[in-house]
């Protein structure tokens, strides 16, 4: 029986790799290497799937586009023992400064189409999120291009530092010690 499902949001296809919008998926791919060898394609979930921690942790990368992330999430919830509070969604966040990482339970989608689709298809918003700051371009009309672009070398330094911060508390994530993580990540 699973106790946690970690979902890394991003778009499929190599052209989106290392883009701002794919940071949830990219980070999850990196961190998962410490726990299992590879993801397997599961067509019924429309996802790449991995398991770790004696099959108690399910790792999911939707293979559909970001705007259809809820399709995969609803299939996972219908096909497993997991409920919405067992989900931990890793995603980019325009409202956070570049290089900041926060954990949050519930809330709205803030314009993030992947989160919006998850909330609409499940009818619930009380899942946990790892919010990875990518900053805002400053002009609403530039958001689409902004999120699909890659990080500059200077920005990558901040992103790598943020990744290290998450890596340091990842064992607490597996144990669902979210308040402990908040104290660490939110006070840096």
């Amino acid at each position: 029986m699973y106790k946690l499902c970690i979902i890394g949001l991003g778009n499929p296809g190599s052209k989106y790799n290392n883009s701002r919008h794919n940071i949830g998926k990219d980070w999850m791919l990196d961190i998962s290497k410490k726990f299992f060898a590879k993801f397997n394609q599961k067509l019924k979930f429309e996802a790449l799937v991995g398991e770790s921690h004696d099959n108690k942790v399910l790792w999911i990368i939707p293979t559909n586009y970001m705007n259809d992330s809820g399709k995969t999430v609803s299939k996972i919830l219908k096909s497993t023992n997991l409920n919405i509070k067992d989900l931990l969604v890793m995603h980019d966040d325009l409202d956070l400064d570049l290089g900041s990482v926060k954990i949050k339970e519930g809330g709205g989608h803030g314009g993030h189409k992947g989160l919006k689709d998850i909330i609409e298809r499940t009818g619930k918003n009380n899942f946990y999120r790892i919010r990875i700051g990518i900053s805002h371009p400053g002009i609403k009309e530039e958001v689409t291009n902004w999120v699909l672009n890659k990080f500059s070398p200077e920005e990558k330094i901040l992103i790598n530092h943020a990744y290290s911060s998450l890596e340091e508390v990842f064992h607490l994530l597996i144990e669902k010690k979210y308040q402990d993580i908040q104290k660490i990540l939110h006070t840096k």
Side-chain angles (χ1 to χ4, degrees):
M1 288 208 4
Y2 299 118
K3 68 173 191 168
L4 176 65
C5 178
I6 307 170
I7 301 163
L9 296 188
N11 283 310
S14 58
K15 77 176 186 175
Y16 298 109
N17 290 352
N18 302 310
S19 67
R20 296 173 194 277
H21 216 22
N22 269 37
I23 198 164
K25 171 185 172 180
D26 292 340
W27 278 21
M28 199 174 111
L29 281 168
D30 284 344
I31 216 156
S32 69
K33 292 174 187 167
K34 295 179 180 194
F35 303 107
F36 59 95
K38 70 178 187 114
F39 283 87
N40 296 306
Q41 179 87 34
K42 289 271 187 186
L43 295 176
K44 78 174 188 171
F45 291 150
E46 295 184 49
L48 298 174
V49 177
E51 293 179 340
S52 70
H53 299 80
D54 296 323
N55 299 326
K56 288 189 172 73
V57 179
L58 183 64
W59 301 68
I60 299 291
I61 296 174
T63 52
N64 40 36
Y65 282 91
M66 180 76 79
N67 300 1
D68 285 328
S69 299
K71 200 173 184 185
T72 294
V73 173
S74 61
K75 287 179 178 189
I76 297 289
L77 291 174
K78 287 176 186 158
S79 301
T80 66
N81 65 298
L82 294 161
N83 70 54
I84 198 80
K85 287 193 131 222
D86 298 320
L87 302 184
L88 176 68
V89 178
M90 295 177 66
H91 66 89
D92 59 301
D93 197 313
L94 285 164
D95 294 330
L96 292 179
D97 290 337
L98 184 75
S100 62
V101 182
K102 306 263 184 205
I103 188 166
K104 175 183 176 181
E105 178 189 2
H109 54 76
H112 192 290
K113 294 192 174 136
L115 293 177
K116 182 176 188 245
D117 196 58
I118 292 169
I119 293 166
E120 286 176 356
R121 289 187 194 245
T122 64
K124 298 186 170 131
N125 71 343
N126 58 330
F127 51 91
Y128 286 87
R129 303 117 189 256
I130 293 288
R131 302 167 60 214
I132 306 163
I134 62 166
S135 294
H136 196 285
I139 300 168
K140 187 178 179 182
E141 292 76 30
E142 292 180 16
V143 166
T144 300
N145 284 336
W146 179 258
V147 300
L148 297 178
N149 281 325
K150 302 193 186 312
F151 295 103
S152 71
E154 296 81 21
E155 290 172 326
K156 277 189 174 183
I157 294 168
L158 290 171
I159 290 300
N160 290 340
H161 181 72
Y163 177 81
S164 296
S165 297
L166 179 63
E167 215 174 12
E168 287 172 21
V169 298
F170 207 80
H171 65 285
L172 296 172
L173 272 179
I174 300 298
E175 297 170 29
K176 294 184 169 182
K177 294 186 175 178
Y178 300 132
Q179 288 182 333
D180 294 343
I181 296 166
Q182 283 177 326
K183 285 178 193 163
I184 295 164
L185 291 180
H186 297 203
T187 56
K188 283 192 174 182

